[in-house]
Amino acid sequence: MMNKIVVIGSLNIDLITKVGRLPVQGETMLVREQENSFGGKGANQAVAAARQGADVTFIGAVGNDENGVAFKKLLRQENINTDYIVSKNKSTGSAVILLEENGHNTILVNGGANMCLNIADIQKAKQSIQEADVVVAQLEVPSETVTEAFKIAKQAGVMTILNPAPVRQSLDKTLIRYTDLVIPNETEAASLTNEKPTTDLSIIEHTIYQDLKAQGLNNVIITLGDKGVYYNVLNKSELLPIFKVNTLDTTAAGDTFIGTIISEIHTDFSNLEDVLLRSRVASSIAVSREGAIASIPYREDIVEQLAQRNISAGVL
């Protein structure tokens, strides 16, 4: 049974700039290639969930420009409800992605219309939030907007999942109170706990997770790049390995992982292991392809990969 999802998030036009390596301060260097594509963490996660078969509604903001029109058209083509994407007197959000030869990326985001999404916009979508199974958000839109959506969700008994990106040093206490599950990467998890980024399991489990728990974030999944995925949910913890592939572009790996999780996670976490298996396979497919939305797999891609690897999952 696939979930009914509401995504509150960002819609960005990405300028992907391919470089051999990151420049040092003051250096001028040639790029290998540049291209524009649709992206933004919100859009990526919504598309990932929709391609798994979930019923997805998007709450977001675009500018009164051609990019805004094109973005809504794209999401509708992905079978995503765009009724609550509002137009603002700002340009549609954008991002510059510096993609290195080894597949790692560094991203600079211009929020644009995304940062104008407000509480009134959330209130207009109140019924859709209340009728959802899962509401997911990132922090590429104002924090108070996300908090309002999560408050409405929790009052209706809807599961809330937060991807705390871009990285923050702290989260609003009210937002934490309304969050059921938080999914950061190792850098975001470290920032939230005033620690240095690490993939060391001992530090993650005994320092970073314990600090997150003390803040009220009891259920946590931390993505660790090529070191795997650590989770501590309902007091059960484990480090899970990634599925190794030839990495071309990591841009949408985390968003693909999250979008796959939200597509069919049970609100009592009873199918967490199966969902994490599918999500790791999904992100491994994404990093083996170039682009953001273009790299996100469909449900049949994951089924095929599981069959090729002779892996069984109870959700299949």
Side-chain angles (χ1 to χ4, degrees):
M1 184 74 175
M2 304 304 294
N3 283 331
K4 193 171 187 178
I5 307 294
V6 169
V7 177
I8 301 108
S10 54
L11 300 160
N12 292 331
I13 300 297
D14 293 341
L15 174 62
I16 301 171
T17 303
K18 297 180 181 180
V19 295
R21 57 170 174 78
L22 294 181
V24 298
Q25 186 174 359
E27 180 182 15
T28 299
M29 61 186 295
L30 295 175
V31 303
R32 292 163 45 217
E33 188 179 342
Q34 275 189 334
E35 61 184 46
N36 285 309
S37 68
F38 295 99
K41 288 184 174 296
N44 294 341
Q45 291 171 23
V47 170
R51 289 185 179 180
Q52 293 307 303
D55 179 346
V56 182
T57 294
F58 200 99
I59 303 173
V62 293
N64 283 311
D65 50 31
E66 292 181 2
N67 286 336
V69 173
F71 227 130
K72 287 192 278 189
K73 180 180 178 181
L74 169 80
L75 295 183
R76 286 193 292 267
Q77 290 173 343
E78 295 285 346
N79 296 313
I80 294 170
N81 181 355
T82 62
D83 290 350
Y84 303 107
I85 296 178
V86 295
S87 296
K88 303 288 184 177
N89 290 321
K90 287 272 189 179
S91 62
T92 298
S94 61
V96 176
I97 300 173
L98 300 179
L99 177 62
E100 299 174 72
E101 283 183 346
N102 61 11
H104 291 295
N105 63 75
T106 302
I107 304 176
L108 303 171
V109 177
N110 172 26
N114 293 309
M115 299 311 297
C116 297
L117 188 70
N118 57 43
I119 290 174
D121 298 323
I122 296 297
Q123 286 291 338
K124 292 174 184 175
K126 185 174 182 178
Q127 184 174 346
S128 288
I129 294 171
Q130 293 171 327
E131 294 175 351
D133 296 305
V134 178
V135 172
V136 64
Q138 320 79 40
L139 297 176
E140 289 182 338
V141 297
S143 179
E144 62 269 21
T145 304
V146 175
T147 300
E148 177 68 14
F150 277 22
K151 180 180 179 181
I152 293 170
K154 290 313 300 170
Q155 289 174 342
V158 177
M159 185 183 204
T160 56
I161 298 178
L162 178 67
N163 172 214
V167 67
R168 299 281 180 97
Q169 290 189 324
S170 64
L171 294 176
D172 181 83
K173 290 182 179 179
T174 305
L175 178 57
I176 289 175
R177 186 163 75 248
Y178 293 124
T179 299
D180 291 319
L181 173 66
V182 62
I183 310 179
N185 63 23
E186 74 270 23
T187 302
E188 294 150 1
S191 179
L192 292 174
T193 57
N194 293 313
E195 297 287 336
K196 293 181 179 179
T198 182
T199 57
D200 184 308
L201 179 60
S202 178
I203 296 173
I204 289 170
E205 190 155 43
H206 299 296
T207 301
I208 291 177
Y209 171 72
Q210 293 303 323
D211 193 319
L212 291 171
K213 184 177 181 181
Q215 293 179 41
L217 296 165
N218 297 311
N219 299 315
V220 177
I221 300 172
I222 303 176
T223 58
L224 305 173
D226 59 6
K227 301 300 181 183
V229 175
Y230 168 80
Y231 75 90
N232 195 314
V233 174
L234 300 181
N235 296 315
K236 179 181 179 180
S237 64
E238 190 174 359
L239 177 66
L240 302 171
I242 64 164
F243 293 94
K244 294 186 178 181
V245 295
N246 180 31
T247 300
L248 295 180
D249 184 351
T250 62
T251 302
D255 295 332
T256 298
F257 178 82
I258 292 169
T260 308
I261 285 176
I262 64 176
S263 67
E264 55 188 320
I265 190 167
H266 294 168
T267 55
D268 61 0
F269 297 110
S270 58
N271 66 338
L272 181 64
E273 291 184 7
D274 285 341
V275 167
L276 286 175
L277 169 61
R278 292 179 56 83
S279 299
R280 285 180 291 140
V281 171
S283 58
S284 74
I285 296 171
V287 301
S288 70
R289 302 170 174 176
E290 292 189 341
I293 286 177
S295 73
I296 297 172
Y298 290 86
R299 186 173 182 84
E300 52 264 32
D301 296 325
I302 297 174
V303 171
E304 181 181 348
Q305 277 294 310
L306 287 169
Q308 288 181 2
R309 295 173 184 272
N310 196 27
I311 301 171
S312 62
V315 294
L316 296 180

